[in-house]
């Protein structure tokens, strides 16, 4: 299926008009579940061309911000960069207190980015939940001490209780993330004020490496399973995502049955889902978190950098109807009143 019909487009525009009439943050009498909303995220938010400082990306109101991370096995650091595995090239500052934000040297490692997040959180303790989408460009390097355990330790040390973790979704009641999601054990969106969630996806370099057949998603899925079995699931800080749009449940063909229940985040190209008419109700009926990327490319395409406010609202309403939890693009030029928009997920 190519494009959208006139009836569907009219419905999306009507929903968009209603969305624009709501105050920023879209407050409701009763806060919906985190799984019941659709919000907006920013691709590669660490890029200095998008925001001079990462704190400004946090200020943007976006519900998802992306970080690209390389493991540097020589310096034993987690590098943040788009294409340089041996150095940092980003807008994260050498700042770990609120007063240092917006003024310090940039190009910090992942720990520095997390310091910025912690400092910003002190200034905005009631912010809406923010997902950090971490693309592990070359994957983990567990044999070099840069594996899932070390990632968890770093995030926990820097951000502590401000992270909403897999064990929080389990709540001491459910035996897998899948079971918890299907029971819609997600808290209300308002109950996640001041919280961060981490989504992990395999990276482009990792995926093109013919010698690497154990990618980030599978490795962290194994990590979650093993932590739960050992009674240590509280150590896990992130949710691994199934990467790539498919028609149906992509976990079935990709993962061993023992880790399939540990995936409740899915991440794929919006146009592939929508323009091809893929059935996506599976995600919302199971209360899974579905990230739809490159939202601007869905037919009819809109600007990837600075569409009108009405176009963003229409796209948000359209993809909420296609069961997205978060839609992303390079819309960093838009105001916080636009990027903080959230609407009901169908």
């Amino acid at each position: 299926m190519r494009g959208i019909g006139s009836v569907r487009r009219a419905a999306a525009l009507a929903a968009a008009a209603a969305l624009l009439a709501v105050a920023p943050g879209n407050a409701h009498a009763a806060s919906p579940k985190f799984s019941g909303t659709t919000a907006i995220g920013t691709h590669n938010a660490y890029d200095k061309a998008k925001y001079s400082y990462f704190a400004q990306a946090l200020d943007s109101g976006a519900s998802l911000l992306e970080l690209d991370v390389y493991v540097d096995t020589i310096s034993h650091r987690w590098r943040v960069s788009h294409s340089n595995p041996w150095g940092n090239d980003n807008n994260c500052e050498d700042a770990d207190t609120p007063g240092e934000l917006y003024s310090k040297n940039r190009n910090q490692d992942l720990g520095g980015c997390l310091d910025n997040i912690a400092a910003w959180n002190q200034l905005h303790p009631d912010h809406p939940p923010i997902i950090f989408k971490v693309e592990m460009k070359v994957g983990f390097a567990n044999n070099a001490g840069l594996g899932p355990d070390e990632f968890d330790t770093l995030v926990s040390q820097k951000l502590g209780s401000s992270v909403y973790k897999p064990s929080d979704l389990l709540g001491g009641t459910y035996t897998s993330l899948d079971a918890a999601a299907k029971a819609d054990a997600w808290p209300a969106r308002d109950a996640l004020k001041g919280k961060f969630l981490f989504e992990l996806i395999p990276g482009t370099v990792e995926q093109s490496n013919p010698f690497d057949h154990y990618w980030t998603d599978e490795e962290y899925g194994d990590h979650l399973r093993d932590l739960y079995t050992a009674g240590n699931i509280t150590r896990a800080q992130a949710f691994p995502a199934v990467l790539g749009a498919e028609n149906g449940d992509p976990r079935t063909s990709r993962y061993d049955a023992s880790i399939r229940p540990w995936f409740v985040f899915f991440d794929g190209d919006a146009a592939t889902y929508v323009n091809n008419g893929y059935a996506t109700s599976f995600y919302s009926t199971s209360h899974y978190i579905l990230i739809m990327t490159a939202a601007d490319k869905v037919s009819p395409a809109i600007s990837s950098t600075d569409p009108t406010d009405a176009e963003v609202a229409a796209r948000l309403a359209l993809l909420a109807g296609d069961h997205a939890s978060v839609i992303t693009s390079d819309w960093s030029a838009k105001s916080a009143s636009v990027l903080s928009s959230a609407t009901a997920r169908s």
Side-chain angles (χ1 to χ4, degrees):
M1 180 181 71
R2 304 297 296 178
I4 58 174
S6 58
V7 173
R8 188 164 176 238
R9 183 181 293 109
L13 290 172
L19 180 65
L20 285 172
V22 178
N26 298 296
H28 300 282
S31 175
K33 290 285 188 81
F34 179 70
S35 56
T37 59
T38 307
I40 299 173
T42 299
H43 174 242
N44 287 352
Y46 63 89
D47 186 347
K48 292 191 286 285
K50 289 188 170 68
Y51 301 101
S52 296
Y53 297 102
F54 195 68
Q56 293 172 328
L58 293 161
D59 289 336
S60 74
S63 291
L64 180 149
L65 300 172
E66 186 174 358
L67 292 165
D68 286 354
V69 175
Y70 289 86
V71 291
D72 182 342
T73 57
I74 295 176
S75 66
H76 204 74
R77 306 293 288 271
W78 306 85
R79 303 294 189 184
V80 177
S81 171
H82 182 68
S83 58
N84 180 5
W86 311 116
N88 294 295
D89 185 6
N90 59 71
N91 56 16
C92 297
E93 307 170 72
D94 183 17
D96 55 11
T97 65
E100 294 177 322
L101 294 173
Y102 314 103
S103 63
K104 306 291 281 186
N105 291 334
R106 297 172 295 179
N107 301 323
Q108 303 302 306
D109 64 11
L110 178 60
C113 295
L114 297 177
D115 284 336
N116 291 182
I117 294 166
W120 182 88
N121 198 45
Q122 293 180 51
L123 294 173
H124 307 278
D126 293 324
H127 65 81
I130 300 173
I131 298 170
F132 294 109
K133 174 179 175 176
V134 179
E135 179 184 339
M136 300 298 297
K137 297 295 284 189
V138 298
F140 287 113
N142 201 35
N143 59 352
L146 292 167
D149 283 320
E150 290 76 20
F151 179 87
D152 288 343
T153 297
L154 180 65
V155 172
S156 178
Q157 288 176 343
K158 298 293 188 179
L159 297 178
S161 61
S162 62
V163 177
Y164 182 83
K165 306 184 296 183
S167 60
D168 295 322
L169 179 58
L170 295 178
T173 300
Y174 302 98
T175 58
S176 71
L177 295 181
D178 184 77
K182 285 180 176 174
D184 204 10
W186 297 102
R189 187 174 179 86
D190 280 355
L192 286 175
K193 287 182 177 179
K195 293 290 187 178
F196 304 111
L197 298 87
F198 283 82
E199 172 204 3
L200 294 176
I201 65 169
T204 53
V205 179
E206 177 180 33
Q207 294 176 66
S208 62
N209 183 354
F211 303 104
D212 187 353
H213 303 289
Y214 191 42
W215 293 353
T216 296
D217 51 348
E218 184 179 3
E219 188 168 359
Y220 204 86
D222 285 343
H223 177 64
L224 287 178
R225 177 202 60 207
D226 294 346
L227 284 177
Y228 181 81
T229 301
N232 294 323
I233 191 62
T234 57
R235 296 180 184 175
Q237 302 292 312
F239 294 85
V242 183
L243 183 64
E246 291 188 22
N247 198 12
D249 187 346
R251 298 174 300 181
T252 304
S253 60
R254 298 193 195 182
Y255 307 119
D256 180 88
S258 69
I259 65 169
R260 288 175 201 160
W262 295 99
F263 289 88
V264 295
F265 270 64
F266 298 79
D267 192 308
D269 178 69
T272 302
Y273 285 117
V274 178
N275 294 354
N276 291 325
Y278 286 177
T280 52
S281 60
F282 151 78
Y283 297 104
S284 59
T285 57
S286 296
H287 314 293
Y288 298 142
I289 305 304
L290 176 59
I291 314 298
M292 285 194 180
T293 61
D296 54 281
K297 294 180 181 178
V298 173
S299 181
I302 61 177
S303 172
S304 63
T305 57
D306 195 16
T308 67
D309 292 2
E311 287 173 327
V312 173
R315 189 52 42 93
L316 179 63
L318 175 66
L319 296 183
D322 281 295
H323 312 287
S325 302
V326 181
I327 68 171
T328 71
S329 189
D330 291 297
W331 293 334
S332 58
K334 302 308 298 180
S335 67
S337 63
V338 172
L339 292 180
S340 63
S341 300
T343 191
R345 179 191 190 191
S346 296

